[in-house]
Amino acid sequence: MGFKKLLDELNIIARCKKYGISIWQCPQFLFVLMGIVIMITAVVTYTLGTRVAADPETVLLIVLALTVVLFVITFSITRSLEGLAEANQMKTEFINIVSHQLRSPLSNLKWALELLMSNHLGEIKEKRSEYMKILEDNTNRMSELVADLLTVSRLEQGRFLLNKAEFSLTDLAKEIIAIHKPAAEASQIRLKLEAPGNLPKVYGDALRIKIVAENFVHNAIRYNKDKGEVKVKIAPKNKSLLFAVQDNGIGIPADDQKHIFEKFFRSKNALKSQTHGSGLGLYIGKMIIEKSDGKIGFKSEKNKGSTFWFLLPIKA
Ligand code: ADP
């Protein structure tokens, strides 16, 4: 992995292509070019210097010092250019994903509205409420996406403050299960809680932790199969409590597993089984759990199921 990373670092052309800019604007290429220019200048200056000045050692020292200074300046300029190029590339990727995610609910809204306004449905009450439901679902999808994007931007800018206190993970799990029971029952999925009595409280921001736990349960239902099972388990582990959500759903292909906490990442099989989704929930979850001094992880097997878990400290 280390060696592969080094090779990737050295493959300048591939890295420049990634930014989608010409080679003459590419920071890595400019850095190598500047390096060559600096070295040639140093050799020329040294040769000319030794002809004019009497002491070749002084000339060598001056040339060396100048070369180092030039290298440092060039390095810092190319680094900042690289940062800009990366930010630019992420912006393009971001706009791409967001516009795709917004396009389908928007077009659903459009045709449902057109139908409702065209009077084609006449007085058929059931049809009207069916289309109203489509309007509601799609508006919800868009506002969820916008809320997730806002959370990501707050987390990335460090403007996401945690209000930590002791709270009961079992109560939180019960609340989440009650919210998601109807959706689970609609797909004939059994939703169970396994938590021993008198567990200690955990320390964290209950509202933020709820976002993470709810996403686990929501995903376990969405990426399950009909008549599947979702088990929420809470158990003590050292000085922490373990919160795990196990399902026997579609699982995650081995190749995709290393990307699962990356921003916007959705695995191939998930894209097929659930067209809706932003790939932001787990990215947000990882940041919240790490900010809460906890740990997050999962294990999964394609077509068998997944278990997503986090650990939270018991005491401050
Ligand atoms: P979203 O569900 O909106 O795509 P998430 O960040 O919550 O975003 O999840 C990212 C990806 O992780 C999903 O698209 C899916 O590929 C995978 N994933 C998460 N939970 C599960 C699960 N319980 N079973 C299978 N795949 C899952």
Side-chain angles (χ1 to χ4, degrees):
M1 143 104 182
F3 184 64
K4 194 174 171 292
K5 223 175 170 184
L6 183 72
L7 275 186
D8 286 347
E9 286 275 322
L10 290 176
N11 191 348
I12 291 171
I13 296 183
R15 292 187 67 187
C16 293
K17 252 193 194 153
K18 192 180 85 178
Y19 300 137
I21 47 182
S22 89
I23 192 104
W24 293 101
Q25 290 174 320
C26 173
Q28 285 89 358
F29 174 74
L30 290 178
F31 181 65
V32 173
L33 189 70
M34 277 302 281
I36 297 169
V37 170
I38 291 170
M39 276 190 283
I40 295 173
T41 317
V43 173
V44 172
T45 320
Y46 178 74
T47 324
L48 289 178
T50 45
R51 280 196 196 161
V52 180
D55 181 9
E57 269 171 31
T58 321
V59 177
L60 182 66
L61 270 178
I62 293 172
V63 170
L64 270 181
L66 267 177
T67 312
V68 171
V69 171
L70 282 176
F71 255 116
V72 171
I73 295 174
T74 315
F75 182 74
S76 73
I77 293 175
T78 40
R79 256 289 126 99
S80 59
L81 277 177
E82 203 181 325
L84 285 177
E86 232 152 56
N88 191 42
Q89 189 229 345
M90 270 171 66
K91 189 195 73 195
T92 314
E93 200 176 281
F94 172 83
I95 292 174
N96 238 331
I97 292 170
V98 174
S99 40
H100 268 101
Q101 290 292 339
L102 288 176
R103 200 167 53 187
S104 78
L106 264 177
S107 52
N108 290 350
L109 283 184
K110 215 170 138 214
W111 70 253
L113 262 179
E114 271 166 13
L115 258 171
L116 280 167
M117 288 169 71
S118 68
N119 258 347
H120 270 135
L121 303 173
E123 290 304 308
I124 315 170
K125 265 218 168 106
E126 303 88 74
K127 277 276 171 219
R128 292 190 83 87
S129 53
E130 194 182 305
Y131 284 97
M132 288 292 188
K133 179 90 183 69
I134 293 174
L135 292 186
E136 190 193 15
D137 286 349
N138 286 283
T139 318
N140 285 344
R141 263 173 73 187
M142 288 196 292
S143 51
E144 272 164 25
L145 176 66
V146 173
D148 278 354
L149 288 170
L150 263 175
T151 308
V152 166
S153 109
R154 286 200 188 115
L155 277 162
E156 288 180 349
Q157 289 175 5
R159 285 193 294 122
F160 194 87
L161 301 178
L162 296 184
N163 202 351
K164 292 185 187 175
E166 285 193 324
F167 69 93
S168 157
L169 257 187
T170 311
D171 289 351
L172 189 90
K174 283 182 184 158
E175 232 178 86
I176 293 173
I177 287 176
I179 296 170
H180 289 274
K181 201 129 211 168
E185 275 166 3
S187 311
Q188 291 181 289
I189 291 169
R190 270 172 301 148
L191 196 47
K192 288 203 291 195
L193 174 65
E194 258 183 43
N198 60 45
L199 279 171
K201 292 189 167 175
V202 285
Y203 187 72
D205 184 331
L207 279 178
R208 313 296 201 194
I209 299 300
K210 189 174 172 195
I211 299 177
V212 189
E214 200 166 356
N215 185 237
F216 281 3
V217 174
H218 192 209
N219 282 348
I221 297 170
R222 286 164 71 223
Y223 300 119
N224 217 313
K225 299 168 186 159
D226 269 355
K227 297 190 182 144
E229 194 177 84
V230 174
K231 219 188 281 171
V232 180
K233 279 192 207 170
I234 306 174
K237 198 166 184 191
N238 302 328
K239 286 185 179 151
S240 305
L241 280 196
L242 172 80
F243 178 95
V245 181
Q246 185 185 352
D247 67 62
N248 50 3
I250 61 169
I252 300 163
D255 280 354
D256 286 346
Q257 295 196 2
K258 55 181 175 298
H259 301 295
I260 230 63
F261 289 108
E262 283 171 14
K263 185 159 49 173
F264 298 124
F265 182 80
R266 306 196 67 213
S267 70
K268 293 172 239 65
N269 59 341
L271 282 167
K272 266 191 232 148
S273 84
Q274 283 289 336
T275 43
H276 309 170
S278 62
L280 288 175
L282 290 177
Y283 175 75
I284 292 174
K286 188 170 188 305
M287 282 213 263
I288 292 180
I289 294 295
E290 283 171 358
K291 269 179 168 276
S292 313
D293 302 316
K295 276 194 179 143
I296 190 167
F298 72 97
K299 65 175 192 318
S300 181
E301 203 177 325
K302 196 180 164 194
N303 293 327
K304 290 252 166 72
S306 318
T307 304
F308 277 85
W309 58 264
F310 62 73
L311 281 170
L312 269 189
I314 288 172
K315 274 244 138 61

